[in-house]
Amino acid sequence: MTTTGADHATAVTGPWWWSRWRSAVLDGALALVSALECGAEGIPFARDAGIPLSAGIVFGLLAGSVLLLRRKWPIAVVLVAIAVTPAQMGFLMGIVGLYTLAAAELPRRIIVALAGMSLVGTMIVTFVRVRQDMARGDLTLGDWFVPFAAVTTSLGLTAPPLLLGLYVGARRRLMESLRERADSLERELQLLAERAEERAEWARGEERTRIAREMHDVVAHRVSLMVVHAAALQAVARKDPEKAVKNAALVGDMGRQALTELREMLGVLRSGEGAQRRTASASASASASASVSVSGSGSAAVSVAVSAAPGAVPLAAVGVAAAAAASRVAEEEGPWLSELGVLIGQSAAAGMVVDLSVEGDVRSYAAEIEQTAFRVVQEALTNVHKHAAGAKTHVRLAHRGAEIAMQVENEPPPEPASAASAGLPSGGNGLVGMRERVLGLGGVFVSGPTDAGGFRVSAVIPAA
């Protein structure tokens, strides 16, 4: 993680108001040099002012030591430097104070006002001193030299530190801004990575549920019919050999159909491994480490790249490819509503008394709608085989203008114990799968026992 300006502000490791010991040592050294300079310059000041030399030296030492406060109160340092300018002392304090003032985060009007005062004060003092030197004969140049010396000296002592301070302050603020932006960007990248992982986990769960539903719908019905026929075969094997042979043939047909459907689905899933691997390799080659760097030597660089967690993308790709494979099997092989007669015939062959009624004009629908409607009827019939063997069942299909409705209702079984006679297990996934399918298409699904002791499954699916 990078360090923001707020982190820098709170991470104070130096004494008093200094953020680092190095800054304190630097300011102490500058204040010492400034105090010695002002103390030495206090000697001629004391002579010119007619005061004791010790008073001039002490005054210079005290004035020069104010530079120690330049980071805490830069305005005070500049004002002291301007105040001692007539005494011709505090040149170092004036230069360093103007630099610190310009680099500080102060309003520009204050910086301009104090810099202007320092410029004017230095110009006046230089003008007076040079004119006095020329009057005493120390300088023999022309009158033009007096304003030239005043202007150049004042500009030389004011402009360079002011411009350097403005540059350093702007650069410092830019670096702080880059640090904050880099830290914010890194937090956003981490948040995006966490959200992407959550979405991938959710997608994996959804695809696992979808694959389980497809496998259940494809295999459970035919295997249930196989178990029912096997139970009937066991019951009539000795009494009616001809019927036993017929039931055995039906069991074989059901088994072959179940194996064929299962093999087709697994084959498409396996053929999708190549696409999964290509997706995983492309995602791996596009991933890089997320890094944000800000150089402190003047060049600022921010580089960003997202790194995916190892294994996250391939797992998501497996789920997507598997679900797509299951969908392709369903789209290529059906089932379709036109095959309801075959489905009901298989249930009738297993001993169920079932009748089918169709209302409205028969028409074709989108593949997903027809497959969902077929699976609802198929699973409802499977549940009748499991829990109400021998019960009469009514299948109703209604083609309406904007929707298709289906209902499977069975009467109470003739024998209460017959529901468990075939030994069919139930995991409770059938109704859940039907509900998920119908609700996924924006339809309505209702299931529950009837007043007569049977069970009813109803679903309405929008036609569009």
Side-chain angles (χ1 to χ4, degrees):
M1 293 287 291
T2 58
T3 306
T4 62
D7 295 333
H8 280 292
T10 57
V12 178
T13 59
W16 297 335
W17 57 82
W18 287 283
S19 61
R20 293 175 296 180
W21 276 98
R22 185 175 64 182
S23 301
V25 172
L26 175 62
D27 289 355
L30 290 174
L32 179 61
V33 174
S34 177
L36 293 176
E37 176 205 352
C38 292
E41 293 168 346
I43 297 175
F45 168 71
R47 290 173 181 172
D48 295 340
I51 61 176
L53 294 180
S54 59
I57 295 174
V58 171
F59 175 75
L61 291 175
L62 292 176
S65 61
V66 175
L67 191 58
L68 188 67
L69 308 175
R70 71 183 188 94
R71 296 180 190 267
K72 186 70 172 177
W73 294 295
I75 297 178
V77 173
V78 174
L79 289 176
V80 172
I82 295 173
V84 299
T85 299
Q88 288 189 321
M89 64 174 61
F91 296 103
L92 177 63
M93 181 170 57
I95 294 173
V96 177
L98 283 176
Y99 164 79
T100 306
L101 179 71
E105 296 183 1
L106 294 172
R108 289 297 177 88
R109 62 180 183 274
I110 297 178
I111 297 175
V112 171
L114 292 177
M117 293 171 59
S118 178
L119 176 67
V120 173
T122 306
M123 184 182 300
I124 294 174
V125 171
T126 305
F127 183 88
V128 173
R129 284 295 183 180
V130 172
R131 191 174 183 84
Q132 290 176 354
D133 292 340
M134 292 185 67
R136 288 196 302 264
D138 296 338
L139 294 174
T140 58
L141 299 174
D143 293 339
W144 60 270
F145 182 74
V146 177
F148 174 78
V151 172
T152 55
T153 302
S154 60
L155 288 177
L157 294 177
T158 305
L162 184 66
L163 295 178
L164 180 61
L166 291 174
Y167 166 74
V168 172
R171 176 182 171 276
R172 183 183 302 157
R173 288 186 289 270
L174 175 62
M175 297 300 297
E176 293 295 332
S177 175
L178 287 177
R179 288 192 184 97
E180 293 177 359
R181 291 176 60 186
D183 189 62
S184 176
L185 183 59
E186 188 171 358
R187 288 195 299 267
E188 290 179 3
L189 287 176
Q190 290 181 347
L191 182 60
L192 288 176
E194 293 174 359
R195 289 181 177 176
E197 181 61 26
E198 292 176 357
R199 287 194 297 268
E201 184 64 29
W202 176 82
R204 287 194 291 269
E206 289 293 317
E207 300 311 329
R208 283 193 294 266
T209 302
R210 182 177 177 182
I211 293 171
R213 185 169 59 242
E214 293 288 343
M215 298 290 290
H216 179 275
D217 291 342
V218 168
V219 178
H221 178 72
R222 299 196 185 280
V223 173
S224 298
L225 291 180
M226 289 172 59
V227 174
V228 172
H229 282 296
L233 175 62
Q234 183 180 6
V236 302
R238 296 181 179 179
K239 299 179 182 179
D240 193 348
E242 183 177 353
K243 188 174 182 180
V245 172
K246 182 179 179 181
N247 286 337
L250 289 174
V251 170
D253 292 338
M254 293 294 176
R256 281 188 291 272
Q257 292 175 4
L259 286 175
T260 300
E261 292 182 357
L262 182 61
R263 187 181 300 112
E264 289 174 352
M265 176 170 289
L266 294 179
V268 176
L269 288 174
R270 186 174 297 276
S271 66
E273 289 180 359
Q276 298 167 16
R277 291 173 182 172
R278 287 192 296 271
T279 303
S281 62
S283 301
S285 63
S287 65
S289 61
S291 62
V292 183
S293 61
V294 179
S295 102
S297 61
S299 61
V302 179
S303 60
V304 180
V306 179
S307 173
V313 174
L315 285 177
V318 169
V320 173
S327 299
R328 287 197 297 271
V329 170
E331 291 177 1
E332 294 173 2
E333 303 296 334
W336 310 103
L337 285 176
S338 58
E339 302 174 13
L340 278 181
V342 178
L343 177 66
I344 292 175
Q346 293 174 351
S347 296
M352 179 187 296
V353 180
V354 54
D355 63 82
L356 170 66
S357 62
V358 180
E359 302 175 3
D361 298 331
V362 178
R363 63 183 189 274
S364 60
Y365 300 91
E368 192 172 13
I369 296 176
E370 292 208 14
Q371 292 155 14
T372 300
F374 183 92
R375 294 300 187 192
V376 169
V377 176
Q378 182 186 56
E379 182 59 31
L381 293 177
T382 301
N383 287 339
V384 175
H385 283 293
K386 289 181 179 180
H387 307 291
K392 185 175 181 180
T393 305
H394 306 275
V395 179
R396 302 178 180 90
L397 186 66
H399 298 274
R400 300 169 184 170
E403 60 188 17
I404 178 173
M406 64 228 64
Q407 183 183 89
V408 179
E409 180 179 350
N410 63 273
E411 300 176 358
E415 300 178 8
S418 62
S421 61
L424 288 170
S426 176
N429 296 318
L431 292 176
V432 175
M434 285 190 285
R435 181 182 299 276
E436 290 176 351
R437 284 180 178 275
V438 174
L439 296 182
L441 295 179
V444 179
F445 179 85
V446 179
S447 63
T450 62
D451 296 336
F455 198 85
R456 181 187 298 117
V457 173
S458 302
V460 178
I461 303 174

